[in-house]
Amino acid sequence: GRKQSGIADIVKAMTNHTASAEVQDAGVRALANLVYNNTDNVLRCVRDKGLEAVIAGMEAHPTDIKVQEGGCLFVWSVLASIHNESYITYGLEMTGAPGAGSVDVDLSVAGRLAELGAVPVVMSALKTFGCVTEMEVEGYNVGEQGCAALWFLSVQPGRLRTSIMEAGAVSLAEK
């Protein structure tokens, strides 16, 4: 029904306004909220080209810390399914991190993100903003969200993890 077209509407707005960092930031964060721990919305997001919209938004605004941080947040949010979560911790160290429970990662979504170029885009965000702390007061931490994105992308042994490691992600994350 109509109420389930929200993701498609967000993707359409992002696609129609690629040049606007404000639209990209709002769209990426809305999608991240909708897909977090919601399998139906993850499937809708994949179907409605949300992954493509987020990657395109990050590629279009490589120097916008909000778009980059939101994109990294989206990447791990669309991948992670958290079961038996008892609380969410907040604060500079653990913003939005699951406090307890078990985490599953949708490997087909991880593979699709990789095909779309998520790894170099996230690594670029980390290279540009991973050590920037001035925005933490406002809640923006690319280092944290980017490392989480790479972690969730590389959670299973295999080609994707190997390619992420070969791209230099470990030393980048350590930095």
Side-chain angles (χ1 to χ4, degrees):
R2 180 72 199 138
K3 68 182 177 125
Q4 293 181 355
S5 68
I7 288 173
D9 292 340
I10 293 165
V11 170
K12 184 177 179 187
M14 290 175 70
T15 304
N16 289 342
H17 302 282
T18 310
S20 168
E22 292 77 18
V23 171
Q24 298 307 307
D25 179 46
V28 165
R29 289 175 193 284
L31 290 175
N33 284 327
L34 288 167
V35 299
Y36 179 74
N37 231 13
N38 187 317
T39 305
D40 290 341
N41 281 346
V42 168
L43 295 175
R44 284 185 194 106
C45 195
V46 170
R47 177 195 71 202
D48 294 339
K49 306 274 189 238
L51 307 180
E52 289 86 341
V54 171
I55 299 300
M58 291 179 77
E59 289 173 341
H61 300 280
T63 59
D64 188 292
I65 191 170
K66 294 178 182 181
V67 173
Q68 295 303 308
E69 198 249 12
C72 292
L73 169 69
F74 170 84
V75 168
W76 76 257
S77 295
V78 78
L79 292 173
S81 295
I82 298 156
H83 310 283
N84 304 314
E85 182 178 20
S86 60
Y87 62 94
I88 301 234
T89 55
Y90 282 97
L92 291 180
E93 298 79 36
M94 295 289 287
T95 304
S102 61
V103 178
D104 290 328
V105 170
D106 187 326
L107 295 179
S108 63
V109 176
R112 183 71 188 122
L113 280 165
E115 287 170 11
L116 293 170
V119 174
V121 169
V122 169
M123 288 183 62
S124 174
L126 278 170
K127 284 176 188 156
T128 306
F129 297 112
C131 297
V132 172
T133 55
E134 298 88 82
M135 298 288 283
E136 281 185 4
V137 174
E138 296 167 54
Y140 299 102
N141 187 326
V142 176
E144 183 178 288
Q145 302 300 346
C147 287
L150 290 176
W151 187 85
F152 281 106
L153 281 166
S154 64
V155 76
Q156 291 288 332
R159 278 190 333 213
L160 182 53
R161 179 190 282 177
T162 302
S163 71
I164 290 169
M165 292 173 70
E166 287 172 353
V170 176
S171 60
L172 183 60
E174 285 171 347
K175 191 172 132 194

